[in-house]
Amino acid sequence: MTKPRKAKNRPHIKGRKRHIEPNAKYDFYGWIDGGCAPCNPGGTCTIGVILKSCAGQDAVFAYDKIIGSGKGFSNNVAEHAAMAELLEIIAENVVS
């Protein structure tokens, strides 16, 4: 029987918290969700995307849509599509 290995001591990570001041132009919070209903896989896939600025309380962008249904669609497909949509929104509207 072998002994479990000890985790390496990493003082640069342990207990350290980093605070970053928001930059009104580039700092955002993003939320995504994807689902497949009434059955998974094979149901109808929908996504939701919300993008908020750190500086303000209002959503900069809120979006939902049906991406497809049937064979080949699942909750995993929807989650990945939501992330791709968020990155596309950021690339088109935020990064200049």
Side-chain angles (χ1 to χ4, degrees):
M1 182 180 224
T2 60
K3 293 168 93 177
R5 294 187 336 192
K6 286 185 177 181
K8 292 181 180 178
N9 186 11
R10 296 184 179 153
H12 63 283
I13 296 174
K14 186 179 178 184
R16 185 178 238 192
K17 293 184 179 178
R18 193 171 88 171
H19 176 72
I20 301 171
E21 291 296 323
N23 176 328
K25 187 173 180 182
Y26 295 111
D27 285 351
F28 294 90
Y29 293 109
W31 291 270
I32 62 164
D33 196 17
C36 187
C39 59
N40 182 37
T44 300
C45 285
T46 58
I47 63 169
V49 177
I50 297 174
L51 185 66
K52 290 179 94 173
S53 170
C54 289
Q57 297 297 323
D58 295 334
V60 175
F61 194 87
Y63 181 75
D64 61 83
K65 76 174 184 177
I66 296 172
I67 60 168
S69 62
K71 187 177 179 180
F73 286 95
S74 68
N75 65 315
N76 293 330
V77 170
E79 293 283 356
H80 285 93
M83 178 56 86
E85 193 76 30
L86 176 63
L87 294 173
E88 191 173 305
I89 290 163
I90 291 169
E92 291 175 357
N93 300 296
V94 177
V95 180
S96 48

